Amino acid sequence: MHPLDLKLVRDIGRMKGQMISTAVVMACGLAMMIMARSLILSLETTRDAYYTQYRFGDVFCSLKRAPNALRPRLAEIAGVAAVETRVRGKLTLDLPGLREPADGMIHSIPDDRPAQLNRLFIRRGRLPEVGSHGEVVIGEAFADAHGFEPGDEIDATLYGARERLKIVGTALSPEYVFEARPGETLPDNRRFGVFWMNERELAGAFKLDGAFNDVIVDVAPGAETSSVMAEVDRVLAPYGGLVAYGRRDHASAIRLDDELRVLRGLSVAFPAVFLSIAAFMSSAVLTRLVRLQREQIAQLKALGYSSRQVGWHYMKFALVIVAAATLVGGFAGMWLGTNVVSVYHRFFRFPSLTFHPDWGMFAVAFATSAGAAFLGVIGAVRQAVKLPPAEAMRPEPPAEFKPSLLERIGLAQLASPAFRMALRNLERRPWQAAFTSLGLALATGIPIVPGAMRDGIDYLLSYEWDLARRQTVTLSLIEPGSASALSDMRNLPGVISAEPFRAVPARLRFGHRSRRLGVTGLPRDAMLVRLLDANAHAIELPPDGLLMSAKLAEILGAKPGDTIRLEVQEGRRPVREAILAGTITDYSGVSAYMEIDALRRLMREGGTVSGAQLTVDTNRWAEFLAKVKEAPRIANVGIKEAVRASFRKSTGDMIGMITTIYFTFAIIVSFGVVYNSARIALSERSRDLATLRVIGFTHREVAAVLIGELALLTLAALPLGLLIGSGLAKMIIATASSESVRLPLVLTAKSYAWAVIVVLLSSSLSFALVSRRIHHLDLLGVLKAKE
């Protein structure tokens, strides 16, 4: 072994505590990076293979009714590789063991030709037989939520007619990777399901014999999707066609893309924080090592070793840390990813979702951590290389000792001798003290982030479902109805109050940006669904303008006062312009609102309603639900508490899992930083502390000197650490927010208290471990040391 390598091994053995703590902090960041990037690879690989194999469409369009004879005309459109027409509609369900009615979307399966697009993956059972009656295939998520198996039967209402459906299979579809109601960002698998039935039978149930009301198009490679959509719109316009939209606007695809976008952000944000701290720790370790080995560096150069060899020798310390961190972080990341990917199956339904390690990220992780470590230690290495042998052979000039500030103002009697020593040492090395305090501040800041995420979830639940949405239940009609429909809903058993809403599908455009969503009309004095600002204050709907989510305005690049183009996709499909009167704050999905009469005027209609928000007497809840189940015009029932529970179980649990991982790493990092600082201080002050032991100080008194310094630095670091933690929380939460779900930044005293407790506990444990090492100080070496 080369002599310098032998020295490296021995030095690492002597300072293994600092090396291990630095490597562990770095490994935490690399574990998050490898986990997130591997999850991205797993989801993207599975998604792309699934979409390709089962031919997920590129363009979608719903319409009122068109004859099957129109199918060849659609197939002739330039750029169309394949076209699938089908019947699609809503159904309500009466399920045993579920008091409230459930609902779903039912789609036709071709019974005179093989399906070309959006093919089904049959998990269990089979497809309905041609000519059979009442046979259906159901979505796997809904089947799992209720324990349905092939052979079971359920009662359903299709277009006002009650039928008994027989389940013959469970299936998955590429258009329902995220299985939720259209327009909703949260899954509710107990109350919403997806169904498939033979085309001829379903067309008869919806009075669409020989016709279709939904189109899927596969765009040929190289063709312009926008051109295909425009031509599809032109062909279907006489048949009540809504505006066609592409895959990027498909609800399921949006939700999956949102998750991938969040993972990409977290794969950078989390590692950046941890690697920055690891670089800071590496710098502290090596800077102090170079200072302690001045004479050794001089001897190496005097023996003929070049500055390059000496510099590379000290660079190897960082390389050892990086190699260990990459190995530990890599395997930790794969273990975490394997466990997290199984949770994703609750949200995204694929035929098979397995964990695919991103092996290339190991090289990226090594390079990234090496870059961070080398940036941290380059100053120390330059210091070692520049030391001339003659100067390095001389010991460092003795420090200037003088009374501390406490002593100079006459308060020395208030402090013990050990405490005064600690103060003097800090004052004679102010930059070193500030550097150490900064590291402790970073350790204080990190635990604030998981606390902020946890508090953000709690605030979101209260804000969305207590402050903004105060209804008990939302009833939506199969088709928009007249004012009499609102009267019927008001007269349901137990209804205390009712407020109508009108929902119109539209595409909102501003400049070159657009978004497809429903514009909701509400009464100006609505009290059950309130529009709120960031401070939870109610915003009144303008008489003619438009209010939208702040996130939607950000997506469109619009600001209050701008003119938004509304392309309505219902009825006569009017195109209007509306002024953006303001933005609202919401945290789930994106929305746009108008005053209900203004929306009706835009649609040139009377008192049309799409449904109503209701408050219901809890004592008559069962009676209310029983009556709703018998109402053929009601498409779905949205129960506020069920939606809240669904969010808590799905998105809340996922964010909670990420928070738990981060909090665990935060504790590890906090302890690592504090312990590293304590060990460095011990190694740097060992000669002074041993001298104190020799001249008669007890172990307890000597430990008090060292621990007093670290305790002062820790207390000084707490305020700055809380400030740094607030900034980190803001950055991480912004990274983890998406169009589907956005966490508010909530910083509470509880989060700050937990951060302080974590640091103080880490400090106590670190001080106890370091204090024990004072017993092993080399007193004989101190006595022989040259002055």
Side-chain angles (χ1 to χ4, degrees):
M1 181 181 289
H2 194 278
L4 285 182
D5 292 336
L6 184 60
K7 175 182 179 299
L8 175 69
V9 172
R10 290 175 177 173
D11 285 343
I12 289 174
R14 282 193 294 269
M15 53 189 295
K16 56 182 177 293
Q18 297 100 304
M19 300 284 283
I20 291 173
S21 61
T22 304
V24 167
V25 171
M26 189 176 289
C28 289
L30 297 181
M32 292 295 290
M33 177 191 291
I34 290 172
M35 179 193 75
R37 296 304 307 182
S38 296
L39 287 173
I40 291 170
L41 177 65
S42 302
L43 287 171
E44 286 184 337
T45 301
T46 304
R47 177 199 64 187
D48 294 345
Y50 187 33
Y51 283 0
T52 300
Q53 184 176 356
Y54 290 87
R55 300 197 67 184
F56 186 32
D58 295 311
V59 174
F60 310 85
C61 187
S62 295
L63 58 146
K64 191 72 174 178
R65 178 192 181 102
N68 288 334
L70 190 66
R71 191 185 303 140
R73 173 68 188 89
L74 292 168
E76 293 171 359
I77 294 174
V80 170
V83 63
E84 188 80 75
T85 61
R86 63 182 181 179
V87 175
R88 180 173 182 261
K90 297 179 180 179
L91 76 167
T92 56
L93 305 165
D94 186 0
L95 302 177
L98 191 66
R99 290 197 305 169
E100 60 269 23
D103 60 276
M105 294 295 298
I106 188 165
H107 312 75
S108 65
I109 305 171
D111 45 13
D112 59 349
R113 64 191 187 282
Q116 298 186 70
L117 303 177
N118 290 9
R119 295 171 177 169
L120 298 183
F121 170 82
I122 301 298
R123 180 75 77 183
R124 298 188 297 272
R126 58 174 175 81
L127 290 172
E129 294 180 349
V130 177
S132 63
H133 177 72
E135 290 189 347
V136 294
V137 171
I138 65 173
E140 183 184 61
F142 184 71
D144 290 347
H146 292 277
F148 288 136
E149 296 287 346
D152 292 340
E153 295 184 342
I154 54 177
D155 292 322
T157 302
L158 283 76
Y159 207 63
R162 193 173 180 88
E163 293 192 27
R164 172 150 290 206
L165 305 178
K166 181 180 180 180
I167 300 169
V168 296
T170 61
L172 300 172
S173 169
E175 67 178 317
Y176 286 103
V177 170
F178 184 77
E179 196 168 307
R181 291 184 183 92
E184 294 189 1
T185 59
L186 301 175
D188 186 7
N189 300 136
R190 279 189 58 78
R191 297 167 186 83
F192 175 80
V194 185
F195 295 74
W196 292 269
M197 177 184 276
N198 280 334
E199 183 174 336
R200 190 170 290 112
E201 183 179 8
L202 187 61
F206 282 97
K207 307 295 189 282
L208 289 171
D209 296 284
F212 61 88
N213 66 357
D214 199 60
V215 175
I216 310 165
V217 173
D218 182 31
V219 178
E224 286 289 338
T225 301
S226 57
S227 300
V228 172
M229 289 193 294
E231 187 62 18
V232 168
D233 285 341
R234 191 187 68 78
V235 172
L236 295 180
Y239 303 95
L242 305 182
V243 176
Y245 60 96
R247 185 186 291 180
R248 71 181 184 88
D249 287 330
H250 192 282
S252 175
I254 286 175
R255 190 65 177 83
L256 182 53
D257 289 344
D258 264 357
E259 189 64 33
L260 289 168
R261 194 176 300 112
V262 169
L263 284 173
R264 290 189 190 99
L266 294 180
S267 70
V268 175
F270 277 123
V273 173
F274 289 119
L275 292 180
S276 298
I277 295 173
F280 178 92
M281 294 171 65
S282 302
S283 176
V285 170
L286 211 58
T287 300
R288 284 161 174 77
L289 179 66
V290 168
R291 183 180 298 138
L292 293 173
Q293 293 190 352
R294 283 170 54 91
E295 296 181 8
Q296 294 181 28
I297 293 170
Q299 292 167 3
L300 290 172
K301 289 188 174 183
L303 291 172
Y305 287 99
S306 66
S307 294
R308 179 175 171 275
Q309 288 175 307
V310 172
W312 177 239
H313 166 68
Y314 283 100
M315 275 291 188
K316 286 181 180 178
F317 282 91
L319 199 61
V320 169
I321 293 173
V322 168
T326 303
L327 187 65
V328 174
F331 283 107
M334 288 196 297
W335 180 79
L336 286 172
T338 303
N339 286 275
V340 172
V341 80
S342 61
V343 177
Y344 271 114
H345 188 66
R346 290 163 44 188
F347 303 90
F348 304 112
R349 294 283 174 162
F350 295 103
S352 175
L353 179 57
T354 56
F355 182 69
H356 296 280
D358 190 344
W359 297 109
M361 281 308 299
F362 277 79
V364 174
F366 183 84
T368 304
S369 55
F374 289 163
L375 284 175
V377 304
I378 193 68
V381 172
R382 186 183 296 114
Q383 180 184 347
V385 168
K386 284 184 175 181
L387 276 174
E391 180 185 339
M393 289 294 287
R394 294 194 300 266
E396 285 188 278
E400 180 184 355
F401 287 91
K402 61 182 180 180
S404 66
L405 177 63
L406 188 70
E407 294 171 300
R408 293 198 298 273
I409 62 177
L411 299 178
Q413 67 277 12
L414 299 179
S416 65
F419 188 72
R420 295 204 300 271
M421 290 181 192
L423 284 176
R424 287 185 179 189
N425 189 61
L426 292 177
E427 286 192 25
R428 68 188 175 93
R429 292 180 176 178
W431 287 110
Q432 180 178 314
F435 196 67
T436 303
S437 187
L438 178 60
L440 296 171
L442 291 172
T444 305
I446 288 181
I448 292 176
V449 177
M453 295 179 75
R454 180 194 60 241
D455 292 336
I457 294 174
D458 292 340
Y459 181 79
L460 185 154
L461 290 168
S462 174
Y463 182 98
E464 287 287 331
W465 288 287
D466 289 331
L467 300 177
R469 308 178 192 183
R470 303 197 293 186
Q471 79 279 16
T472 307
V473 63
T474 301
L475 299 184
S476 299
L477 302 175
I478 293 177
E479 292 182 347
S482 63
S484 63
L486 176 61
S487 177
D488 292 340
M489 288 184 280
R490 279 198 174 109
N491 292 326
L492 288 169
V495 172
I496 299 172
S497 60
E499 291 179 354
F501 67 88
R502 176 74 171 103
V504 176
R507 182 175 292 277
L508 276 62
R509 291 188 184 275
F510 180 72
H512 65 282
R513 300 182 181 183
S514 68
R515 176 65 81 226
R516 177 177 171 273
L517 76 164
V519 177
T520 303
L522 298 174
R524 196 170 186 186
D525 57 349
M527 295 299 295
L528 299 184
V529 173
R530 300 195 305 158
L531 309 180
L532 308 176
D533 62 15
N535 297 316
H537 297 149
I539 301 175
E540 187 177 89
L541 277 164
D544 292 306
L546 185 72
L547 291 179
M548 66 171 62
S549 305
K551 183 65 175 181
L552 179 57
E554 176 189 326
I555 293 169
L556 296 175
K559 60 184 183 298
D562 289 335
T563 300
I564 307 296
R565 180 183 174 91
L566 271 69
E567 301 174 355
V568 177
Q569 301 179 11
E570 181 179 296
R572 299 183 180 88
R573 303 204 301 186
V575 177
R576 298 285 187 271
E577 291 185 342
I579 300 297
L580 178 58
T583 61
I584 66 168
T585 299
D586 52 9
Y587 299 109
S588 177
V590 292
S591 307
Y593 297 92
M594 292 184 70
E595 200 276 327
I596 191 168
D597 289 328
L599 183 60
R600 287 166 175 164
R601 287 194 298 272
L602 183 145
M603 296 294 294
R604 296 178 181 175
E605 60 188 22
T608 308
V609 299
S610 300
Q613 315 286 352
L614 309 176
T615 54
V616 180
D617 184 354
T618 54
N619 294 322
R620 303 188 66 184
W621 183 241
E623 186 181 355
F624 169 81
L625 292 176
K627 198 68 176 177
V628 167
K629 283 185 177 182
E630 299 173 0
R633 298 177 62 186
I634 294 176
N636 59 65
V637 181
I639 301 171
K640 184 180 75 172
E641 290 305 318
V643 176
R644 188 206 302 257
S646 176
F647 178 89
R648 190 186 294 276
K649 182 179 178 181
S650 56
T651 306
D653 283 356
M654 175 60 74
I655 296 174
M657 181 181 61
I658 294 174
T659 301
T660 301
I661 294 172
Y662 189 89
F663 187 68
T664 303
F665 284 173
I667 293 174
I668 294 172
V669 171
S670 180
F671 174 77
V673 171
V674 176
Y675 179 72
N676 189 63
S677 300
R679 284 298 308 272
I680 289 172
L682 175 63
S683 64
E684 192 173 50
R685 299 288 310 282
S686 58
R687 181 175 293 182
D688 295 342
L689 298 175
T691 301
L692 291 176
R693 290 283 288 128
V694 169
I695 64 177
F697 277 65
T698 66
H699 171 266
R700 184 174 181 178
E701 290 171 328
V702 172
V705 174
L706 180 62
I707 293 174
E709 289 181 25
L710 295 170
L712 287 173
L713 292 174
T714 301
L715 293 176
L718 290 179
L720 177 60
L722 298 180
L723 183 63
I724 291 173
S726 301
L728 287 176
K730 183 177 182 180
M731 180 190 73
I732 296 293
I733 286 177
T735 303
S737 296
S738 67
E739 182 177 333
S740 301
V741 177
R742 298 171 294 284
L743 282 183
L745 177 61
V746 180
L747 297 170
T748 63
K750 182 179 178 181
S751 295
Y752 290 135
W754 268 111
V756 171
I757 289 171
V758 167
V759 171
L760 293 180
L761 290 176
S762 299
S763 300
S764 300
L765 181 58
S766 300
F767 296 165
L769 293 174
V770 171
S771 179
R772 292 180 58 188
R773 298 188 67 88
I774 296 178
H775 282 294
H776 304 290
L777 287 174
D778 186 5
L779 303 184
L780 184 60
V782 171
L783 292 174
K784 291 182 178 180
K786 291 183 292 183
E787 297 297 334

